[in-house]
Amino acid sequence: MTNRLRDLRAQRGWSQQHLADQLDVSRQSVNAIETGRYDPSLPLAFKIAELFDLAIEDVFISPSKES
Amino acid sequence: MFVATGRSKLNAAQRRYLRRFLPAMLVYSVVIMVSGNAIGHHRVSGGLLIALSIAPALPLLCAIAAVGLYLHEETDEYIRMRAVIGSLGGTGLVLATGTIWGFLEQGGVLPHLPAWFVFPLWAVGLGLSQWVCNLRDRWSGGAE
């Protein structure tokens, strides 16, 4: 599933490790989500969206809406 | 069960796993030597023979329980998924090897493979799967 996590993180000047610490996950997890190799669970997706103060669909792109 | 890479630190579940798994393997290495020596060099029989024979399995059961507890306690869902994939890799290797070996053994091509071999073989499969996951993580790039 495509997401904007890398862009959102870059806008805030955060490292992957900093984001991982905020989310209480490993840096590998952040990397896997950013590169689309792992789709987070709904609770983790909500946690990510809330951290950026965005709606979940503003961070994660629905597969049905991808061109 | 898991592979700590680079600067990554062990999380609480991983530290608990090591605190359970490593002592179990230490006890196993002592018990296997003691029981092997006792059975090989002394005339033991009956209940004592059963006890000495089963003794090495007990710390291994603790090690297996440590793996199960780790999968239950790991809160990082991606790391847990990787551990589950590793476990499936180990299970797949055991099933494939057991199936192939069994038929070759039945045909007289290969000697009998002791049943205790499944755990070390499972661990090899787990390690190989984790290694592949690590390579994939490294090649995927994006790490900062």
Side-chain angles (χ1 to χ4, degrees):
Chain A
M1 185 166 60
T2 309
N3 65 75
R4 297 177 50 224
L5 191 56
R6 185 184 294 273
D7 293 338
L8 293 167
R9 180 174 62 77
Q11 284 170 13
R12 284 158 179 77
W14 293 349
S15 66
Q16 285 185 340
Q17 186 61 61
H18 179 76
L19 178 57
D21 291 341
Q22 301 268 339
L23 296 169
D24 198 24
V25 298
S26 63
R27 190 199 54 77
Q28 293 101 315
S29 300
V30 170
N31 187 37
I33 295 168
E34 280 189 356
T35 52
R37 284 180 293 109
Y38 177 69
D39 292 334
S41 67
L42 205 48
L44 181 55
F46 271 116
K47 199 172 177 181
I48 292 169
E50 286 163 4
L51 182 66
F52 290 103
D53 203 21
L54 292 169
I56 202 164
E57 59 268 33
D58 293 330
V59 182
F60 297 94
I61 315 301
S62 167
S64 62
K65 292 182 179 170
E66 286 184 76
S67 54
Chain B
M1 194 72 250
F2 56 86
V3 180
T5 57
R7 293 171 296 167
S8 60
K9 294 178 288 186
L10 298 180
N11 63 30
Q14 291 168 338
R15 285 196 299 274
R16 277 197 297 274
Y17 166 73
L18 289 180
R19 277 203 299 269
R20 291 162 180 156
F21 185 82
L22 294 179
M25 295 312 290
L26 185 68
V27 171
Y28 167 75
S29 59
V30 172
V31 171
I32 190 75
M33 282 191 291
V34 171
S35 71
N37 184 55
I39 294 171
H41 294 90
H42 303 283
R43 290 177 181 274
V44 290
S45 60
L48 182 60
L49 178 60
I50 293 172
L52 286 170
S53 299
I54 196 71
L58 301 179
L60 284 185
L61 291 179
C62 291
I64 293 168
V67 171
L69 283 170
Y70 170 68
L71 290 175
H72 179 68
E73 293 173 353
E74 178 59 73
T75 55
D76 188 319
E77 58 187 66
Y78 174 67
I79 299 297
R80 185 174 60 232
M81 184 200 70
R82 280 183 36 154
V84 169
I85 289 173
S87 300
L88 289 174
T91 304
L93 184 65
V94 167
L95 291 174
T97 304
T99 302
I100 294 168
W101 195 289
F103 282 110
L104 288 173
E105 184 181 321
Q106 198 171 21
V109 180
L110 288 175
H112 176 65
L113 188 69
W116 56 259
F117 213 78
V118 293
F119 187 62
L121 192 60
W122 179 84
V124 168
L126 168 80
L128 286 173
S129 296
Q130 291 282 19
W131 180 65
V132 170
C133 282
N134 272 346
L135 282 181
R136 198 183 60 170
D137 275 3
R138 201 168 296 172
W139 287 341
S140 69
E144 294 170 14

